[in-house]
């Protein structure tokens, strides 16, 4: 139990939704209660098994409608990391023999991608693929003109995240999809350029239309919307994919192993809640309030990668803030002691607080060491914003008075 100097109990303030959204325990408990009476293997050919399977298929169709795709192209997996690896595993297997025979193939991406993408692409580089990094603009977004220049007859895949997990800045996925689609129509080879987007941060927050965006693959993690860990989906157009795990041929042979019915059904209910209760509008108001309170405060700050962007070009849920007089080590440690939880970059096994590599790439290392990431969720309140602003002001004042 946290208390202030006067002995008053302090509410914990969680502002790290970009790392993981707080679990929606109300929905999780409701679904657990429902499944207690019909808990069974959804692949079993009896009434209980068929009942669970029916609930799972309902969620599959629900998600397919949400992203505008054929429900048979949705596969339940353990999350974004597995989904990303499945995409690259497919590309590796498709072209490995041709690379061995001397052919050359390019994969276009950005150096702002999630580590599960960058690490996987390094492995593909070791296997003979050319990994081509598209330039970024001052916001960290893909430079569209540079992408056009780097598309070639050797390109087989373009992998660009929908929104950056460190800054919240969104790439123009629709525009990129249109460019790739036009290029494919003019292409003389049989190999169509495939388009993959890591949509982990965007799903449930901004519109995703795989047809409009001309996407072949998207990957999603349910814990980013308040669902259970180790669950998510991969959308694979026309099932262009091969399994990583072999076994019982579940998920149309694309993901062997008994599916997690609880995690899937919970995700479906949460998605319903997000849409029906317009959770995004609440988050939008909280983001506006955060920006107002920052302007009113005595904190010397700047919002990273935000100057001049329109509201539909970044996620309201993620705010990367440069604190001119406060380093992230001090900010996170002091806030944590006061029951306020945020992040700066990633944490290694030693427990050291690391700065954002994305902010370092866009600006410089010094700015990155003074930048924190605030992640807003639908569960947050205006009082939560007041708490963090008040705490940062106190830290700022102490730094100035040293």
């Amino acid at each position: 139990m946290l208390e202030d100097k006067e002995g008053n109990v302090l509410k914990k303030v969680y502002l790290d939704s970009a790392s993981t959204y707080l679990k929606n325990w109300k929905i999780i408990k409701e679904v657990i209660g429902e499944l207690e009476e019909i808990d069974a293997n959804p692949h079993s050919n009896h009434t209980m098994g068929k009942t669970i399977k029916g609930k799972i298929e309902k969620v599959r169709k629900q998600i397919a409608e949400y992203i505008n795709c054929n429900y048979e192209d949705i596969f339940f997996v353990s999350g974004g990391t597995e989904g990303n690896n499945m995409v690259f595993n497919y590309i590796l297997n498709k072209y490995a023999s041709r690379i061995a025979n001397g052919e050359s193939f390019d994969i276009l991406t950005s150096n702002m991608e999630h580590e599960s993408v960058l690490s996987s692409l390094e492995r593909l580089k070791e296997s003979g693929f050319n990994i081509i990094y598209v330039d970024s603009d001052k916001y960290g977004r893909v430079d569209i003109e540079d992408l056009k220049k780097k598309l070639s007859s050797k390109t087989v895949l373009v992998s660009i995240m929908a929104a950056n997990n460190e800054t919240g800045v969104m790439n123009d996925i629709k525009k990129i999809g249109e460019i790739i689609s036009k290029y494919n129509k003019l292409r003389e080879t049989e190999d169509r350029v495939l388009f993959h987007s890591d949509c982990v941060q965007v799903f449930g927050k901004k519109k995703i239309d795989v047809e409009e965006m001309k996407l072949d693959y998207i990957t999603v993690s349910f814990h980013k919307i308040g669902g259970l860990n180790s669950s998510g989906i991969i959308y694979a157009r026309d099932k262009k994919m091969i399994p990583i795990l072999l076994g019982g041929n579940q998920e149309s042979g694309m993901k062997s192993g008994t599916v997690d019915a609880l995690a899937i059904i919970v995700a479906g209910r949460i998605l319903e809640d997000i849409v029906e209760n317009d959770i995004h509008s609440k988050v939008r108001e909280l983001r506006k309030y955060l920006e107002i309170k920052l302007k009113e405060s005595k904190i010397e700050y700047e919002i990273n990668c935000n100057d001049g962007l329109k509201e539909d070009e970044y996620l309201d849920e993620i705010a990367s803030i440069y604190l001119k007089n406060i380093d992230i080590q001090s900010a996170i440690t002091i806030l944590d002691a006061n029951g306020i939880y945020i992040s700066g970059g990633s944490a290694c096994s030693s427990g050291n607080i690391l700065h954002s590599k994305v902010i370092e790439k866009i600006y410089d290392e010094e700015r990155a060491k003074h930048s924190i990431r605030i992640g807003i969720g639908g569960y947050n309140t205006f009082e939560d914003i007041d708490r963090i602003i008040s705490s940062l002001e106190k830290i700022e004042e102490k730094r100035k008075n040293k």
Side-chain angles (χ1 to χ4, degrees):
M1 185 181 294
L2 288 166
E3 297 180 349
D4 61 18
K5 292 180 180 179
E6 287 73 40
N8 300 310
V9 176
L10 292 174
K11 173 198 167 190
K12 292 180 180 178
V13 176
Y14 183 82
L15 289 163
D16 195 22
S17 66
S19 293
T20 193
Y21 219 77
L22 284 184
K23 300 286 179 288
N24 191 323
W25 289 110
K26 179 177 181 293
I27 288 176
I28 293 170
K29 289 174 182 177
E30 286 175 358
V31 175
I32 288 174
E34 294 172 20
L35 295 187
E36 282 181 350
E37 297 299 319
I38 53 169
D39 187 23
N41 189 321
H43 311 293
S44 295
N45 194 29
H46 49 60
T47 300
M48 287 176 66
K50 290 178 179 178
T51 301
I52 291 286
K53 183 174 176 59
K55 290 179 178 292
I56 290 171
E57 293 310 309
K58 179 183 176 182
V59 176
R60 196 189 308 274
K61 291 175 181 178
Q62 176 191 357
I63 293 173
E65 182 178 352
Y66 185 73
I67 66 172
N68 189 27
C69 74
N70 185 336
Y71 78 93
E72 293 179 340
D73 290 339
I74 295 284
F75 303 95
F76 294 111
V77 294
S78 66
T81 295
E82 181 183 7
N84 290 339
N85 275 271
M86 290 176 82
V87 173
F88 301 127
N89 190 52
Y90 171 74
I91 297 297
L92 175 61
N93 278 271
K94 182 176 181 180
Y95 293 101
S97 61
R98 292 171 64 179
I99 288 175
N101 288 327
E103 290 188 67
S104 180
F105 300 103
D106 296 349
I107 296 174
L108 303 190
T109 189
S110 160
N111 67 353
M112 303 292 170
E113 297 296 308
H114 187 269
E115 193 59 38
S116 66
V117 170
L118 295 176
S119 296
S120 295
L121 291 177
E122 278 300 308
R123 185 174 65 178
L124 290 186
K125 182 179 179 180
E126 293 171 2
S127 300
F129 287 87
N130 304 310
I131 310 303
I132 310 296
Y133 293 96
V134 180
D135 292 344
S136 300
D137 65 14
K138 66 178 183 178
Y139 301 109
R141 300 177 301 188
V142 164
D143 184 314
I144 298 295
E145 293 306 312
D146 191 54
L147 175 72
K148 290 179 182 177
K149 291 176 185 176
K150 287 175 176 172
L151 273 172
S152 75
S153 59
K154 296 194 297 181
T155 308
V156 294
L157 177 71
V158 175
S159 179
I160 303 294
M161 68 190 339
N164 190 273
N165 55 304
E166 296 283 356
T167 66
V169 173
M170 298 181 65
N171 281 302
D172 192 340
I173 297 299
K174 181 181 176 182
K175 183 67 175 177
I176 295 170
E178 289 171 352
I179 291 167
I180 295 170
S181 180
K182 287 178 182 177
Y183 185 82
N184 279 330
K185 290 176 182 178
L186 299 172
R187 194 163 180 160
E188 295 179 355
T189 65
E190 294 181 2
D191 298 306
R192 189 170 68 86
V193 179
L194 298 175
F195 185 24
H196 161 249
S197 184
D198 179 334
C199 291
V200 167
Q201 291 293 346
V202 168
F203 184 78
K205 299 161 189 172
K206 293 282 190 181
K207 179 185 176 184
I208 302 172
D209 186 322
V210 298
E211 289 301 321
E212 185 178 66
M213 295 173 170
K214 316 292 185 186
L215 284 157
D216 295 291
Y217 304 101
I218 75 164
T219 43
V220 168
S221 291
F222 292 151
H223 75 97
K224 298 292 188 181
I225 61 170
L228 295 170
N229 296 348
S230 300
S231 58
I233 62 130
I234 178 172
Y235 157 73
R237 184 185 295 273
D238 301 326
K239 304 178 186 64
K240 286 188 171 66
M241 196 168 59
I242 60 172
I244 292 177
L245 301 176
L246 302 177
N249 289 322
Q250 291 88 348
E251 290 300 285
S252 301
M254 298 300 177
K255 164 74 174 176
S256 290
T258 304
V259 297
D260 189 337
L262 174 62
I264 294 167
I265 297 167
V266 163
R269 298 285 175 83
I270 290 173
L271 193 57
E272 286 177 4
D273 181 65
I274 288 169
V275 174
E276 291 174 5
N277 293 305
D278 195 11
I279 300 300
H280 178 71
S281 291
K282 180 184 178 184
V283 173
R284 171 99 280 269
E285 290 305 309
L286 288 167
R287 172 61 179 259
K288 287 180 179 177
Y289 187 71
L290 170 65
E291 294 181 7
I292 289 169
K293 298 306 287 186
L294 280 168
K295 287 178 182 178
E296 293 175 351
S297 75
K298 298 176 181 179
I299 303 164
E300 292 188 50
Y301 78 97
E302 290 176 15
I303 299 180
N304 291 321
C305 309
N306 194 247
D307 184 36
L309 287 183
K310 300 175 183 176
E311 287 183 5
D312 62 351
E313 294 179 318
Y314 63 89
L315 295 177
D316 296 312
E317 287 79 1
I318 301 175
S320 175
I321 301 171
Y322 168 50
L323 304 171
K324 296 182 180 180
N325 302 311
I326 309 171
D327 64 276
I328 59 170
Q329 185 82 40
S330 299
I332 293 175
T333 303
I334 296 170
L335 290 173
D336 187 274
N338 286 279
I340 302 170
Y341 309 110
I342 62 166
S343 62
S346 59
C348 66
S349 58
S350 65
N352 294 326
I353 298 169
L354 302 179
H355 62 266
S356 166
K357 294 299 182 183
V358 170
I359 298 301
E360 181 178 347
K361 290 171 184 175
I362 297 171
Y363 296 97
D364 54 52
E365 184 178 359
E366 186 60 27
R367 188 175 179 113
K369 288 181 176 179
H370 283 258
S371 294
I372 61 171
R373 182 182 66 179
I374 293 177
I376 303 170
Y379 41 75
N380 286 122
T381 63
F382 295 115
E383 289 75 19
D384 292 343
I385 304 300
D386 290 335
R387 275 273 302 282
I388 189 169
I389 296 298
S390 174
S391 295
L392 287 173
E393 281 187 311
K394 290 175 183 176
I395 300 171
E396 175 102 358
E397 186 177 352
K398 286 181 180 180
R399 290 291 179 274
K400 286 182 177 180
N401 293 333
K402 270 190 175 182

